[in-house]
Amino acid sequence: LDLVAVKVSEMDSAESERQSAELLRVENENQRKIDHANRSAELDGKANKKQEDWITPTLLNGATGDIQFRKNQFGRVEFRGKLTASEGVVVFTLPLGYRPPNHFRTLGKFSNSTNGGRSVYIQIAGTVYVEQPYGRSEIHFDTISFSAE
């Protein structure tokens, strides 16, 4: 009788350990699923960000063209299109949130030149100037980008 009681006790202990192990396995699997869902949601918020729509600025001082800008998923303001303008005048103004943290000077490509450019100056106040004394000419902005404020 004692031997039977010991065997029953050993079986109960083994069954209890098996159930505990199974419960732990299920809890770990559930936690893994929760962690995966959290990581997926975090990545979706970063990787699948919808690009902003392109914004067409109001051109000033006789400037003409099809220039547009937007802020990309990395916080950089990027441009597309071109404009025709005279040198030394404000051609448009960028709104808050799309301005450089420091004055920014770069080259925009002439449309009638394979290796020339025209200085484009963007101030922290958002004013965009076309510089250099070449008269009125067409400048491409497609290669211009900077980190926004």
Side-chain angles (χ1 to χ4, degrees):
L1 189 62
D2 287 337
L3 187 57
V4 172
V6 168
K7 287 291 185 191
V8 169
S9 176
E10 287 175 2
M11 287 174 47
D12 288 345
S13 178
E15 179 63 20
S16 178
E17 285 179 27
R18 190 194 65 73
Q19 287 177 349
S20 292
E22 178 63 15
L23 182 60
L24 183 59
R25 187 194 66 75
V26 169
E27 287 175 355
N28 287 339
E29 178 66 16
N30 287 341
Q31 186 61 48
R32 188 193 65 73
K33 288 177 182 177
I34 290 168
D35 291 344
H36 177 73
N38 289 340
R39 278 192 306 277
S40 293
E42 182 180 338
L43 289 175
D44 282 346
K46 293 178 182 175
N48 295 330
K49 221 180 224 187
K50 182 186 179 305
Q51 286 284 2
E52 288 187 5
D53 291 331
W54 289 97
I55 300 168
T56 302
T58 300
L59 299 178
L60 307 170
N61 297 313
T64 59
D66 62 355
I67 185 113
Q68 294 182 308
F69 63 90
R70 72 177 176 190
K71 194 182 309 182
N72 68 21
Q73 69 270 29
F74 304 108
R76 292 188 64 82
V77 173
E78 54 190 14
F79 295 88
R80 72 176 180 186
K82 58 189 179 293
L83 62 80
T84 301
S86 299
E87 78 274 352
V89 297
V90 176
V91 291
F92 61 92
T93 301
L94 294 168
L96 288 172
Y98 294 86
R99 298 174 178 177
N102 300 301
H103 296 306
F104 178 75
R105 182 173 274 119
T106 189
L107 289 178
K109 184 181 174 303
F110 278 138
S111 63
N112 59 353
S113 172
T114 57
N115 57 5
R118 185 112 180 238
S119 181
V120 175
Y121 182 48
I122 304 172
Q123 296 183 319
I124 57 176
T127 50
V128 179
Y129 291 87
V130 174
E131 298 180 317
Q132 296 181 356
Y134 293 118
R136 191 166 174 82
S137 57
E138 187 175 84
I139 304 110
H140 291 259
F141 278 66
D142 295 336
T143 60
I144 299 174
S145 72
F146 58 85
S147 292
E149 57 190 356

